[in-house]
Amino acid sequence: MHDSKILVVNQRLKALLVGFCQRDSDNESFDELRQLASSAQLDVLAVVKSKRSRPNPATYIGTGKIDEITSLLKTSPEKISIVIFNNDLTPIQERNLTNRLECTVIDRTSLILDIFAQRAKSHEGKLQVELAQLEHLATKLVRGWTHLERQKGGIGLRGPGETQLETDRRLLAKRVKFLKEKLSILQRQRDVQRLSRKRSQVKTISIVGYTNAGKSTLFNRLTRSNSYAADQLFATLDTTTRKMFIPAYGNLVISDTVGFIRDLPHTLIAAFRATLEETIQADLLLHVVDGTSPVKDDQIEAVNRLLEEINASTIPQILILNKIDQAGSKMRPGYVRDEYGKITRILISAKTGEGLEYVKLALTEAIRYPSEEVDLEDGFLPEEKEVIDNSAVAF
């Protein structure tokens, strides 16, 4: 089968980033692409931004930008091994750019898939990533790939006159079917575990949010566990579930899930649907946000769109604005109640533990007293007697 265009990075290769930049949000998207490249163990040496109103059907960017990139590739003091586009490329665009630039060219989706391939640790996670990679590769197997159209012999592999392209498609489809069957078995096992929890009436909490918002750090704080947490995109891929004890209620189950991102490839959403079932089946979502991010509203919207896509938008959620330790005196621990008296927003630092008592208070209220406020003396705050005033909380 034709080798995947997904790059497996074994060392710090040098990269050049390319994309359109017409709005302020595009600059933030470029910063995110740079973080993605760093998460994939790549060093970004140059960035080329284009102001075209629409992509070139053949090469995505214009000839002038192609010449500019070619010049950068030739004059760079360090060899640039890969050019990454901040958008999805068609197979024809990818092929033409590779030929013109004489360099490896991938798009944003391929980069994200590569990061997932590097980070997946569990058996299920690896199966999910491979499925996403193969389904993405399937979109690249088109007639435009002329080198796949040559005849190739092989007894027992294909019928008479079958082209290499058709062989690739058939073998790929066979592997995809196998992976889906394996994941289906694992999903049924998860369903049995969830049914057992429901029968025992154990409440479930899922921590969701944009990638690198601090979900795993909060998870470790709440469960006193040591799940992997790092200041990088997609540090967590495999869902981790732990028991958590609330004195005013008892045991509940809390899960740390994979982070979301804008324009998350649909192949990944489909492949990780079994894992995301933990989110769909939860009684409550803790939506963690990087409270210091200048685009936190866009990130909140992106997460909510993805929750809607996986049919989890109707689950009650509490918004947790994290990383207040990075905001200096501008933000301090606190929480906000809505007109019904329910805690809807909390300011914390999962890293330092500031404000963690408010998360526990909110969980106590949501789980034990879903329709009324809990007395602070009956929960986690024996020393705290005052509810934070809404006006004193900065967002």
Side-chain angles (χ1 to χ4, degrees), residues 316 335-345 365-366 369-373:
Y335 62 87
V336 173
R337 295 185 184 274
D338 62 14
E339 62 271 26
Y340 304 105
K342 294 183 178 181
I343 295 177
T344 56
R345 292 195 176 198
E365 290 189 16
Y369 305 108
S371 60
E372 58 181 306
E373 294 182 19

Side-chain angles (χ1 to χ4, degrees), residues 382-395:
E383 298 178 0
E384 293 286 347
K385 304 295 183 182
E386 182 180 0
V387 175
I388 301 299
D389 186 89
N390 290 6
S391 62
V393 180
F395 290 110

